[in-house]
Amino acid sequence: MTRQQADYLWVVVFAVLVVFAVPWFLWGDGRVVAGLPLWLWWHVGWMGVASVAFYAFTRGAWDRGMGVTRG
């Protein structure tokens, strides 16, 4: 994968993280799981997904857009 392709991939990853950060598809849903609303479980899971994405970004693409060349 070229650097430009990787850059586009990261743009897509972060766009998906932003779009699904708010569970708009759960608005008005009153389901409760293990004593907590379903939308709260969505946030718990989504923060896990976001943590993995940010970790992967820091390990492989942190230098993007900073004018730093990898050695």
Side-chain angles (χ1 to χ4, degrees):
M1 180 180 300
T2 68
R3 183 173 174 97
Q4 187 175 19
Q5 289 172 327
D7 290 345
Y8 288 134
L9 177 64
W10 282 114
V11 167
V12 170
V13 167
F14 287 120
V16 168
L17 286 175
V18 168
V19 167
F20 289 106
V22 175
W24 48 267
F25 48 87
L26 291 175
W27 288 355
D29 191 333
R31 288 181 283 180
V32 174
V33 178
L36 294 173
L38 185 59
W39 62 266
L40 189 57
W41 286 114
W42 172 265
H43 281 296
V44 170
W46 199 247
M47 290 299 99
V49 169
S51 296
V52 170
F54 285 127
Y55 177 77
F57 180 75
T58 62
R59 303 309 296 165
W62 188 253
D63 60 342
R64 299 295 197 255
M66 295 184 190
V68 177
T69 58
R70 292 190 77 152

Short mmCIF file of all heavy atoms in Angstrom, two decimals:
data_model
loop_
_atom_site.label_atom_id
_atom_site.label_comp_id
_atom_site.label_asym_id
_atom_site.label_seq_id
_atom_site.Cartn_x
_atom_site.Cartn_y
_atom_site.Cartn_z
N MET A 1 0.85 -1.18 0.00
CA MET A 1 0.00 0.00 0.00
C MET A 1 0.89 1.24 0.00
O MET A 1 1.81 1.35 0.79
CB MET A 1 -0.89 -0.02 1.25
CG MET A 1 -1.80 1.16 1.35
SD MET A 1 -2.89 1.21 2.80
CE MET A 1 -3.83 -0.27 2.62
N THR A 2 0.59 2.14 -0.91
CA THR A 2 1.37 3.37 -0.98
C THR A 2 1.01 4.30 0.18
O THR A 2 -0.02 4.13 0.84
CB THR A 2 1.13 4.10 -2.31
OG1 THR A 2 -0.21 4.59 -2.33
CG2 THR A 2 1.39 3.21 -3.50
N ARG A 3 1.85 5.27 0.39
CA ARG A 3 1.61 6.23 1.47
C ARG A 3 0.31 7.00 1.25
O ARG A 3 -0.45 7.23 2.18
CB ARG A 3 2.79 7.19 1.58
CG ARG A 3 2.67 8.18 2.71
CD ARG A 3 3.96 8.96 2.83
NE ARG A 3 3.82 10.00 3.81
CZ ARG A 3 4.22 9.91 5.07
NH1 ARG A 3 4.78 8.81 5.50
NH2 ARG A 3 4.06 10.91 5.91
N GLN A 4 0.04 7.36 0.00
CA GLN A 4 -1.19 8.11 -0.30
C GLN A 4 -2.42 7.24 -0.05
O GLN A 4 -3.42 7.72 0.50
CB GLN A 4 -1.17 8.60 -1.74
CG GLN A 4 -2.34 9.52 -2.05
CD GLN A 4 -2.25 10.10 -3.44
OE1 GLN A 4 -1.54 9.57 -4.30
NE2 GLN A 4 -2.97 11.17 -3.68
N GLN A 5 -2.35 5.97 -0.41
CA GLN A 5 -3.47 5.07 -0.14
C GLN A 5 -3.69 4.92 1.36
O GLN A 5 -4.84 4.90 1.82
CB GLN A 5 -3.23 3.70 -0.77
CG GLN A 5 -3.32 3.68 -2.26
CD GLN A 5 -2.89 2.35 -2.85
OE1 GLN A 5 -2.01 1.68 -2.31
NE2 GLN A 5 -3.50 1.97 -3.95
N ALA A 6 -2.61 4.82 2.11
CA ALA A 6 -2.71 4.72 3.56
C ALA A 6 -3.34 5.98 4.15
O ALA A 6 -4.16 5.91 5.07
CB ALA A 6 -1.34 4.46 4.18
N ASP A 7 -2.96 7.12 3.62
CA ASP A 7 -3.55 8.39 4.08
C ASP A 7 -5.06 8.41 3.85
O ASP A 7 -5.83 8.78 4.73
CB ASP A 7 -2.90 9.58 3.38
CG ASP A 7 -1.47 9.81 3.83
OD1 ASP A 7 -1.06 9.25 4.86
OD2 ASP A 7 -0.76 10.56 3.13
N TYR A 8 -5.48 7.99 2.67
CA TYR A 8 -6.92 7.94 2.37
C TYR A 8 -7.64 6.94 3.28
O TYR A 8 -8.75 7.19 3.72
CB TYR A 8 -7.16 7.60 0.91
CG TYR A 8 -6.82 8.72 -0.05
CD1 TYR A 8 -6.09 8.48 -1.19
CD2 TYR A 8 -7.23 10.03 0.22
CE1 TYR A 8 -5.77 9.52 -2.07
CE2 TYR A 8 -6.91 11.06 -0.65
CZ TYR A 8 -6.18 10.80 -1.79
OH TYR A 8 -5.87 11.83 -2.63
N LEU A 9 -6.99 5.84 3.56
CA LEU A 9 -7.58 4.84 4.45
C LEU A 9 -7.80 5.43 5.84
O LEU A 9 -8.86 5.25 6.44
CB LEU A 9 -6.69 3.60 4.53
CG LEU A 9 -7.17 2.52 5.49
CD1 LEU A 9 -8.50 1.94 5.04
CD2 LEU A 9 -6.12 1.43 5.61
N TRP A 10 -6.81 6.18 6.35
CA TRP A 10 -6.97 6.80 7.67
C TRP A 10 -8.06 7.85 7.69
O TRP A 10 -8.78 7.99 8.67
CB TRP A 10 -5.64 7.37 8.18
CG TRP A 10 -4.76 6.29 8.70
CD1 TRP A 10 -3.58 5.87 8.19
CD2 TRP A 10 -5.02 5.45 9.84
NE1 TRP A 10 -3.09 4.83 8.93
CE2 TRP A 10 -3.95 4.55 9.95
CE3 TRP A 10 -6.06 5.37 10.76
CZ2 TRP A 10 -3.89 3.59 10.95
CZ3 TRP A 10 -5.99 4.41 11.77
CH2 TRP A 10 -4.93 3.53 11.86
N VAL A 11 -8.19 8.58 6.59
CA VAL A 11 -9.28 9.56 6.50
C VAL A 11 -10.62 8.85 6.61
O VAL A 11 -11.53 9.29 7.34
CB VAL A 11 -9.19 10.37 5.18
CG1 VAL A 11 -10.46 11.16 4.94
CG2 VAL A 11 -7.98 11.29 5.22
N VAL A 12 -10.78 7.73 5.92
CA VAL A 12 -12.02 6.96 5.97
C VAL A 12 -12.25 6.41 7.37
O VAL A 12 -13.37 6.48 7.91
CB VAL A 12 -12.01 5.83 4.92
CG1 VAL A 12 -13.17 4.88 5.13
CG2 VAL A 12 -12.02 6.41 3.53
N VAL A 13 -11.21 5.86 8.00
CA VAL A 13 -11.34 5.31 9.36
C VAL A 13 -11.82 6.38 10.32
O VAL A 13 -12.77 6.15 11.10
CB VAL A 13 -9.99 4.70 9.84
CG1 VAL A 13 -10.02 4.41 11.32
CG2 VAL A 13 -9.67 3.43 9.05
N PHE A 14 -11.20 7.54 10.29
CA PHE A 14 -11.60 8.59 11.24
C PHE A 14 -12.97 9.17 10.91
O PHE A 14 -13.71 9.55 11.81
CB PHE A 14 -10.53 9.68 11.33
CG PHE A 14 -9.31 9.21 12.07
CD1 PHE A 14 -8.07 9.19 11.47
CD2 PHE A 14 -9.41 8.76 13.37
CE1 PHE A 14 -6.95 8.75 12.14
CE2 PHE A 14 -8.30 8.31 14.06
CZ PHE A 14 -7.07 8.31 13.44
N ALA A 15 -13.33 9.20 9.63
CA ALA A 15 -14.68 9.66 9.26
C ALA A 15 -15.73 8.70 9.81
O ALA A 15 -16.76 9.13 10.34
CB ALA A 15 -14.80 9.78 7.74
N VAL A 16 -15.48 7.41 9.72
CA VAL A 16 -16.42 6.41 10.26
C VAL A 16 -16.50 6.55 11.78
O VAL A 16 -17.60 6.48 12.35
CB VAL A 16 -15.98 4.99 9.86
CG1 VAL A 16 -16.75 3.93 10.64
CG2 VAL A 16 -16.18 4.78 8.37
N LEU A 17 -15.38 6.78 12.43
CA LEU A 17 -15.39 6.98 13.89
C LEU A 17 -16.26 8.17 14.27
O LEU A 17 -17.01 8.11 15.25
CB LEU A 17 -13.98 7.18 14.43
CG LEU A 17 -13.10 5.93 14.49
CD1 LEU A 17 -11.69 6.32 14.94
CD2 LEU A 17 -13.69 4.89 15.44
N VAL A 18 -16.17 9.24 13.52
CA VAL A 18 -16.96 10.44 13.82
C VAL A 18 -18.44 10.21 13.53
O VAL A 18 -19.30 10.56 14.33
CB VAL A 18 -16.41 11.65 13.02
CG1 VAL A 18 -17.37 12.82 13.08
CG2 VAL A 18 -15.04 12.05 13.53
N VAL A 19 -18.74 9.61 12.38
CA VAL A 19 -20.14 9.42 11.98
C VAL A 19 -20.89 8.54 12.97
O VAL A 19 -22.04 8.83 13.33
CB VAL A 19 -20.21 8.82 10.56
CG1 VAL A 19 -21.60 8.32 10.25
CG2 VAL A 19 -19.78 9.86 9.53
N PHE A 20 -20.26 7.49 13.44
CA PHE A 20 -20.95 6.56 14.32
C PHE A 20 -20.71 6.82 15.81
O PHE A 20 -21.12 6.03 16.65
CB PHE A 20 -20.59 5.12 13.96
CG PHE A 20 -21.19 4.69 12.66
CD1 PHE A 20 -20.40 4.55 11.54
CD2 PHE A 20 -22.55 4.44 12.57
CE1 PHE A 20 -20.95 4.17 10.33
CE2 PHE A 20 -23.12 4.06 11.37
CZ PHE A 20 -22.31 3.92 10.24
N ALA A 21 -20.05 7.93 16.14
CA ALA A 21 -19.82 8.26 17.55
C ALA A 21 -21.14 8.56 18.27
O ALA A 21 -21.31 8.26 19.45
CB ALA A 21 -18.88 9.45 17.68
N VAL A 22 -22.07 9.14 17.55
CA VAL A 22 -23.41 9.40 18.09
C VAL A 22 -24.34 8.32 17.53
O VAL A 22 -24.51 8.24 16.32
CB VAL A 22 -23.92 10.80 17.70
CG1 VAL A 22 -25.34 11.01 18.17
CG2 VAL A 22 -23.00 11.87 18.25
N PRO A 23 -24.93 7.50 18.39
CA PRO A 23 -25.78 6.42 17.89
C PRO A 23 -27.16 6.92 17.47
O PRO A 23 -28.18 6.64 18.09
CB PRO A 23 -25.86 5.47 19.08
CG PRO A 23 -25.71 6.36 20.27
CD PRO A 23 -24.78 7.47 19.84
N TRP A 24 -27.20 7.67 16.36
CA TRP A 24 -28.46 8.25 15.87
C TRP A 24 -29.49 7.18 15.55
O TRP A 24 -30.67 7.41 15.65
CB TRP A 24 -28.18 9.11 14.65
CG TRP A 24 -27.31 8.45 13.63
CD1 TRP A 24 -25.95 8.55 13.54
CD2 TRP A 24 -27.72 7.56 12.60
NE1 TRP A 24 -25.51 7.77 12.50
CE2 TRP A 24 -26.56 7.16 11.91
CE3 TRP A 24 -28.95 7.07 12.18
CZ2 TRP A 24 -26.60 6.29 10.83
CZ3 TRP A 24 -28.99 6.19 11.10
CH2 TRP A 24 -27.82 5.82 10.44
N PHE A 25 -29.05 6.00 15.20
CA PHE A 25 -29.98 4.91 14.88
C PHE A 25 -30.60 4.30 16.13
O PHE A 25 -31.52 3.50 16.02
CB PHE A 25 -29.26 3.83 14.06
CG PHE A 25 -27.94 3.43 14.65
CD1 PHE A 25 -27.87 2.44 15.62
CD2 PHE A 25 -26.79 4.08 14.26
CE1 PHE A 25 -26.66 2.09 16.17
CE2 PHE A 25 -25.57 3.73 14.81
CZ PHE A 25 -25.51 2.73 15.77
N LEU A 26 -30.13 4.68 17.31
CA LEU A 26 -30.71 4.20 18.57
C LEU A 26 -31.59 5.26 19.24
O LEU A 26 -32.07 5.03 20.34
CB LEU A 26 -29.61 3.76 19.54
CG LEU A 26 -28.84 2.50 19.14
CD1 LEU A 26 -27.69 2.24 20.12
CD2 LEU A 26 -29.75 1.30 19.05
N TRP A 27 -31.78 6.41 18.60
CA TRP A 27 -32.63 7.44 19.18
C TRP A 27 -34.04 6.90 19.36
O TRP A 27 -34.62 6.30 18.47
CB TRP A 27 -32.66 8.68 18.31
CG TRP A 27 -31.38 9.46 18.31
CD1 TRP A 27 -30.28 9.23 19.07
CD2 TRP A 27 -31.08 10.59 17.50
NE1 TRP A 27 -29.30 10.14 18.79
CE2 TRP A 27 -29.77 11.00 17.83
CE3 TRP A 27 -31.78 11.30 16.55
CZ2 TRP A 27 -29.15 12.08 17.23
CZ3 TRP A 27 -31.16 12.38 15.95
CH2 TRP A 27 -29.87 12.77 16.29
N GLY A 28 -34.58 7.09 20.52
CA GLY A 28 -35.93 6.65 20.82
C GLY A 28 -36.02 5.18 21.18
O GLY A 28 -37.11 4.68 21.44
N ASP A 29 -34.92 4.49 21.20
CA ASP A 29 -34.90 3.07 21.55
C ASP A 29 -34.78 2.95 23.07
O ASP A 29 -33.81 3.41 23.66
CB ASP A 29 -33.72 2.38 20.88
CG ASP A 29 -33.78 0.88 20.98
OD1 ASP A 29 -34.39 0.36 21.94
OD2 ASP A 29 -33.22 0.21 20.09
N GLY A 30 -35.76 2.34 23.68
CA GLY A 30 -35.79 2.25 25.14
C GLY A 30 -35.28 0.93 25.70
O GLY A 30 -35.46 0.66 26.88
N ARG A 31 -34.62 0.13 24.87
CA ARG A 31 -34.14 -1.17 25.35
C ARG A 31 -33.07 -1.00 26.42
O ARG A 31 -32.24 -0.09 26.36
CB ARG A 31 -33.57 -2.00 24.21
CG ARG A 31 -34.66 -2.52 23.29
CD ARG A 31 -34.07 -3.35 22.20
NE ARG A 31 -33.46 -2.45 21.20
CZ ARG A 31 -32.85 -2.86 20.11
NH1 ARG A 31 -32.73 -4.14 19.87
NH2 ARG A 31 -32.34 -1.99 19.26
N VAL A 32 -33.11 -1.90 27.40
CA VAL A 32 -32.15 -1.90 28.50
C VAL A 32 -31.45 -3.25 28.50
O VAL A 32 -32.09 -4.30 28.42
CB VAL A 32 -32.85 -1.64 29.84
CG1 VAL A 32 -31.89 -1.78 31.00
CG2 VAL A 32 -33.51 -0.27 29.84
N VAL A 33 -30.12 -3.24 28.60
CA VAL A 33 -29.32 -4.46 28.65
C VAL A 33 -28.46 -4.39 29.90
O VAL A 33 -27.72 -3.42 30.10
CB VAL A 33 -28.44 -4.60 27.39
CG1 VAL A 33 -27.56 -5.84 27.48
CG2 VAL A 33 -29.29 -4.61 26.14
N ALA A 34 -28.58 -5.41 30.74
CA ALA A 34 -27.78 -5.48 31.98
C ALA A 34 -27.95 -4.21 32.82
O ALA A 34 -27.00 -3.73 33.44
CB ALA A 34 -26.32 -5.75 31.67
N GLY A 35 -29.12 -3.64 32.82
CA GLY A 35 -29.42 -2.49 33.66
C GLY A 35 -29.05 -1.14 33.08
O GLY A 35 -29.26 -0.11 33.73
N LEU A 36 -28.47 -1.12 31.88
CA LEU A 36 -28.09 0.15 31.26
C LEU A 36 -28.75 0.26 29.90
O LEU A 36 -28.97 -0.73 29.22
CB LEU A 36 -26.56 0.22 31.09
CG LEU A 36 -25.74 0.26 32.38
CD1 LEU A 36 -24.26 0.16 32.05
CD2 LEU A 36 -26.03 1.53 33.16
N PRO A 37 -29.06 1.48 29.48
CA PRO A 37 -29.67 1.67 28.16
C PRO A 37 -28.73 1.17 27.05
O PRO A 37 -27.51 1.25 27.17
CB PRO A 37 -29.86 3.18 28.05
CG PRO A 37 -29.68 3.73 29.41
CD PRO A 37 -28.88 2.75 30.20
N LEU A 38 -29.33 0.69 25.99
CA LEU A 38 -28.55 0.14 24.88
C LEU A 38 -27.60 1.18 24.29
O LEU A 38 -26.46 0.86 23.94
CB LEU A 38 -29.50 -0.38 23.80
CG LEU A 38 -28.85 -1.10 22.62
CD1 LEU A 38 -28.05 -2.30 23.09
CD2 LEU A 38 -29.91 -1.51 21.62
N TRP A 39 -28.05 2.44 24.22
CA TRP A 39 -27.19 3.47 23.65
C TRP A 39 -25.92 3.66 24.48
O TRP A 39 -24.86 4.00 23.93
CB TRP A 39 -27.92 4.80 23.48
CG TRP A 39 -28.42 5.40 24.74
CD1 TRP A 39 -29.66 5.26 25.28
CD2 TRP A 39 -27.69 6.24 25.65
NE1 TRP A 39 -29.75 5.95 26.45
CE2 TRP A 39 -28.55 6.56 26.72
CE3 TRP A 39 -26.40 6.75 25.66
CZ2 TRP A 39 -28.16 7.36 27.78
CZ3 TRP A 39 -26.00 7.55 26.72
CH2 TRP A 39 -26.88 7.84 27.76
N LEU A 40 -25.99 3.43 25.78
CA LEU A 40 -24.80 3.56 26.63
C LEU A 40 -23.82 2.42 26.34
O LEU A 40 -22.61 2.63 26.30
CB LEU A 40 -25.20 3.58 28.10
CG LEU A 40 -24.09 3.93 29.08
CD1 LEU A 40 -23.46 5.27 28.75
CD2 LEU A 40 -24.64 3.94 30.49
N TRP A 41 -24.35 1.23 26.12
CA TRP A 41 -23.49 0.11 25.74
C TRP A 41 -22.82 0.38 24.40
O TRP A 41 -21.67 -0.01 24.17
CB TRP A 41 -24.27 -1.20 25.69
CG TRP A 41 -24.58 -1.72 27.05
CD1 TRP A 41 -25.82 -1.84 27.61
CD2 TRP A 41 -23.65 -2.18 28.03
NE1 TRP A 41 -25.72 -2.34 28.88
CE2 TRP A 41 -24.39 -2.56 29.16
CE3 TRP A 41 -22.27 -2.30 28.07
CZ2 TRP A 41 -23.79 -3.06 30.31
CZ3 TRP A 41 -21.67 -2.80 29.21
CH2 TRP A 41 -22.42 -3.16 30.31
N TRP A 42 -23.56 1.06 23.50
CA TRP A 42 -22.97 1.43 22.22
C TRP A 42 -21.74 2.30 22.46
O TRP A 42 -20.70 2.10 21.86
CB TRP A 42 -23.98 2.17 21.34
CG TRP A 42 -23.35 2.74 20.11
CD1 TRP A 42 -22.87 4.00 19.94
CD2 TRP A 42 -23.07 2.03 18.90
NE1 TRP A 42 -22.34 4.15 18.68
CE2 TRP A 42 -22.44 2.94 18.02
CE3 TRP A 42 -23.31 0.72 18.47
CZ2 TRP A 42 -22.04 2.58 16.75
CZ3 TRP A 42 -22.91 0.38 17.19
CH2 TRP A 42 -22.28 1.30 16.36
N HIS A 43 -21.84 3.27 23.34
CA HIS A 43 -20.71 4.16 23.62
C HIS A 43 -19.55 3.41 24.24
O HIS A 43 -18.39 3.67 23.91
CB HIS A 43 -21.14 5.32 24.53
CG HIS A 43 -21.85 6.40 23.80
ND1 HIS A 43 -21.26 7.16 22.82
CD2 HIS A 43 -23.13 6.84 23.89
CE1 HIS A 43 -22.13 8.03 22.34
NE2 HIS A 43 -23.28 7.85 22.98
N VAL A 44 -19.84 2.48 25.13
CA VAL A 44 -18.77 1.68 25.74
C VAL A 44 -18.02 0.91 24.65
O VAL A 44 -16.78 0.94 24.58
CB VAL A 44 -19.34 0.72 26.80
CG1 VAL A 44 -18.29 -0.28 27.25
CG2 VAL A 44 -19.89 1.49 27.99
N GLY A 45 -18.75 0.24 23.79
CA GLY A 45 -18.12 -0.51 22.70
C GLY A 45 -17.41 0.39 21.71
O GLY A 45 -16.30 0.08 21.24
N TRP A 46 -18.03 1.51 21.39
CA TRP A 46 -17.45 2.43 20.41
C TRP A 46 -16.16 3.04 20.92
O TRP A 46 -15.22 3.27 20.16
CB TRP A 46 -18.45 3.51 20.03
CG TRP A 46 -18.07 4.15 18.73
CD1 TRP A 46 -17.67 5.43 18.54
CD2 TRP A 46 -18.03 3.52 17.45
NE1 TRP A 46 -17.38 5.65 17.21
CE2 TRP A 46 -17.59 4.48 16.53
CE3 TRP A 46 -18.31 2.23 17.01
CZ2 TRP A 46 -17.44 4.19 15.18
CZ3 TRP A 46 -18.15 1.95 15.67
CH2 TRP A 46 -17.72 2.92 14.78
N MET A 47 -16.07 3.31 22.21
CA MET A 47 -14.82 3.82 22.78
C MET A 47 -13.71 2.78 22.68
O MET A 47 -12.54 3.12 22.47
CB MET A 47 -15.01 4.26 24.23
CG MET A 47 -15.85 5.52 24.37
SD MET A 47 -15.13 6.97 23.55
CE MET A 47 -16.04 7.00 22.02
N GLY A 48 -14.08 1.50 22.79
CA GLY A 48 -13.10 0.43 22.58
C GLY A 48 -12.60 0.42 21.14
O GLY A 48 -11.40 0.30 20.88
N VAL A 49 -13.53 0.54 20.19
CA VAL A 49 -13.16 0.58 18.77
C VAL A 49 -12.28 1.80 18.48
O VAL A 49 -11.26 1.69 17.79
CB VAL A 49 -14.43 0.60 17.88
CG1 VAL A 49 -14.09 0.90 16.43
CG2 VAL A 49 -15.18 -0.71 18.00
N ALA A 50 -12.67 2.94 19.02
CA ALA A 50 -11.88 4.16 18.81
C ALA A 50 -10.49 4.03 19.42
O ALA A 50 -9.50 4.48 18.83
CB ALA A 50 -12.61 5.37 19.41
N SER A 51 -10.39 3.40 20.58
CA SER A 51 -9.08 3.20 21.21
C SER A 51 -8.17 2.34 20.34
O SER A 51 -6.98 2.64 20.19
CB SER A 51 -9.25 2.54 22.58
OG SER A 51 -9.95 3.38 23.45
N VAL A 52 -8.71 1.28 19.78
CA VAL A 52 -7.92 0.42 18.89
C VAL A 52 -7.49 1.19 17.65
O VAL A 52 -6.33 1.10 17.22
CB VAL A 52 -8.73 -0.85 18.52
CG1 VAL A 52 -8.04 -1.63 17.41
CG2 VAL A 52 -8.94 -1.73 19.73
N ALA A 53 -8.38 1.98 17.08
CA ALA A 53 -8.05 2.77 15.89
C ALA A 53 -6.96 3.80 16.21
O ALA A 53 -5.99 3.94 15.43
CB ALA A 53 -9.29 3.47 15.35
N PHE A 54 -7.08 4.50 17.30
CA PHE A 54 -6.06 5.48 17.67
C PHE A 54 -4.73 4.83 17.99
O PHE A 54 -3.67 5.35 17.66
CB PHE A 54 -6.53 6.34 18.85
CG PHE A 54 -7.55 7.36 18.46
CD1 PHE A 54 -8.75 7.44 19.13
CD2 PHE A 54 -7.32 8.25 17.42
CE1 PHE A 54 -9.70 8.38 18.78
CE2 PHE A 54 -8.27 9.20 17.05
CZ PHE A 54 -9.46 9.26 17.74
N TYR A 55 -4.76 3.66 18.61
CA TYR A 55 -3.52 2.93 18.88
C TYR A 55 -2.84 2.56 17.57
O TYR A 55 -1.63 2.76 17.41
CB TYR A 55 -3.81 1.68 19.72
CG TYR A 55 -2.57 0.86 19.97
CD1 TYR A 55 -1.63 1.26 20.92
CD2 TYR A 55 -2.33 -0.29 19.25
CE1 TYR A 55 -0.49 0.52 21.14
CE2 TYR A 55 -1.19 -1.04 19.45
CZ TYR A 55 -0.27 -0.63 20.41
OH TYR A 55 0.87 -1.37 20.61
N ALA A 56 -3.62 2.01 16.62
CA ALA A 56 -3.06 1.64 15.33
C ALA A 56 -2.50 2.87 14.61
O ALA A 56 -1.43 2.80 13.98
CB ALA A 56 -4.12 0.96 14.47
N PHE A 57 -3.19 3.99 14.71
CA PHE A 57 -2.71 5.22 14.09
C PHE A 57 -1.38 5.67 14.69
O PHE A 57 -0.45 6.03 13.97
CB PHE A 57 -3.75 6.32 14.24
CG PHE A 57 -3.34 7.63 13.62
CD1 PHE A 57 -3.36 7.79 12.25
CD2 PHE A 57 -2.93 8.68 14.40
CE1 PHE A 57 -2.98 8.99 11.65
CE2 PHE A 57 -2.54 9.88 13.84
CZ PHE A 57 -2.57 10.04 12.45
N THR A 58 -1.26 5.62 16.01
CA THR A 58 -0.01 6.05 16.64
C THR A 58 1.15 5.12 16.33
O THR A 58 2.29 5.55 16.29
CB THR A 58 -0.15 6.18 18.17
OG1 THR A 58 -0.46 4.90 18.72
CG2 THR A 58 -1.20 7.19 18.55
N ARG A 59 0.87 3.85 16.10
CA ARG A 59 1.92 2.89 15.80
C ARG A 59 2.38 2.96 14.35
O ARG A 59 3.53 2.64 14.07
CB ARG A 59 1.46 1.46 16.10
CG ARG A 59 0.99 1.22 17.52
CD ARG A 59 1.94 1.69 18.58
NE ARG A 59 3.20 0.94 18.54
CZ ARG A 59 4.30 1.32 19.14
NH1 ARG A 59 4.33 2.41 19.83
NH2 ARG A 59 5.37 0.60 19.05
N GLY A 60 1.51 3.36 13.42
CA GLY A 60 1.90 3.27 12.04
C GLY A 60 1.77 4.51 11.20
O GLY A 60 2.28 4.56 10.08
N ALA A 61 1.09 5.54 11.69
CA ALA A 61 0.82 6.68 10.82
C ALA A 61 0.90 8.01 11.55
O ALA A 61 0.39 9.01 11.05
CB ALA A 61 -0.56 6.51 10.19
N TRP A 62 1.52 8.05 12.68
CA TRP A 62 1.56 9.26 13.48
C TRP A 62 2.22 10.42 12.75
O TRP A 62 1.91 11.59 12.98
CB TRP A 62 2.28 8.99 14.79
CG TRP A 62 2.20 10.12 15.75
CD1 TRP A 62 3.21 10.96 16.10
CD2 TRP A 62 1.06 10.55 16.49
NE1 TRP A 62 2.77 11.88 17.01
CE2 TRP A 62 1.44 11.65 17.27
CE3 TRP A 62 -0.25 10.10 16.57
CZ2 TRP A 62 0.56 12.30 18.11
CZ3 TRP A 62 -1.13 10.76 17.41
CH2 TRP A 62 -0.71 11.84 18.17
N ASP A 63 3.15 10.13 11.84
CA ASP A 63 3.89 11.16 11.15
C ASP A 63 3.13 11.80 9.99
O ASP A 63 3.62 12.70 9.35
CB ASP A 63 5.20 10.58 10.64
CG ASP A 63 4.99 9.43 9.66
OD1 ASP A 63 3.88 8.86 9.66
OD2 ASP A 63 5.93 9.10 8.94
N ARG A 64 1.91 11.37 9.73
CA ARG A 64 1.14 11.89 8.60
C ARG A 64 0.87 13.39 8.76
O ARG A 64 0.45 13.85 9.82
CB ARG A 64 -0.21 11.19 8.47
CG ARG A 64 -0.13 9.72 8.23
CD ARG A 64 0.51 9.45 6.86
NE ARG A 64 0.26 8.12 6.41
CZ ARG A 64 1.16 7.15 6.41
NH1 ARG A 64 2.36 7.37 6.88
NH2 ARG A 64 0.85 5.97 5.94
N GLY A 65 1.15 14.14 7.72
CA GLY A 65 0.84 15.56 7.71
C GLY A 65 1.74 16.41 8.58
O GLY A 65 1.47 17.59 8.77
N MET A 66 2.81 15.84 9.12
CA MET A 66 3.70 16.61 10.00
C MET A 66 5.02 16.96 9.32
O MET A 66 5.89 17.55 9.95
CB MET A 66 3.98 15.82 11.27
CG MET A 66 2.78 15.60 12.12
SD MET A 66 3.27 14.76 13.62
CE MET A 66 1.70 14.35 14.30
N GLY A 67 5.19 16.54 8.08
CA GLY A 67 6.43 16.83 7.37
C GLY A 67 7.61 16.05 7.90
O GLY A 67 8.76 16.45 7.74
N VAL A 68 7.36 14.91 8.52
CA VAL A 68 8.41 14.08 9.09
C VAL A 68 8.58 12.86 8.21
O VAL A 68 7.60 12.22 7.82
CB VAL A 68 8.03 13.62 10.53
CG1 VAL A 68 9.08 12.69 11.09
CG2 VAL A 68 7.83 14.82 11.42
N THR A 69 9.81 12.54 7.89
CA THR A 69 10.06 11.32 7.12
C THR A 69 10.41 10.20 8.07
O THR A 69 11.11 10.41 9.07
CB THR A 69 11.21 11.51 6.11
OG1 THR A 69 12.37 11.91 6.82
CG2 THR A 69 10.84 12.55 5.07
N ARG A 70 9.90 9.04 7.75
CA ARG A 70 10.16 7.86 8.61
C ARG A 70 11.54 7.33 8.29
O ARG A 70 11.96 7.25 7.16
CB ARG A 70 9.11 6.81 8.38
CG ARG A 70 7.76 7.28 8.90
CD ARG A 70 6.82 6.17 8.89
NE ARG A 70 7.15 5.32 10.03
CZ ARG A 70 6.30 4.55 10.67
NH1 ARG A 70 5.07 4.51 10.28
NH2 ARG A 70 6.67 3.81 11.66
N GLY A 71 12.23 6.93 9.35
CA GLY A 71 13.59 6.42 9.16
C GLY A 71 13.70 4.95 9.06
O GLY A 71 13.00 4.10 8.99
#
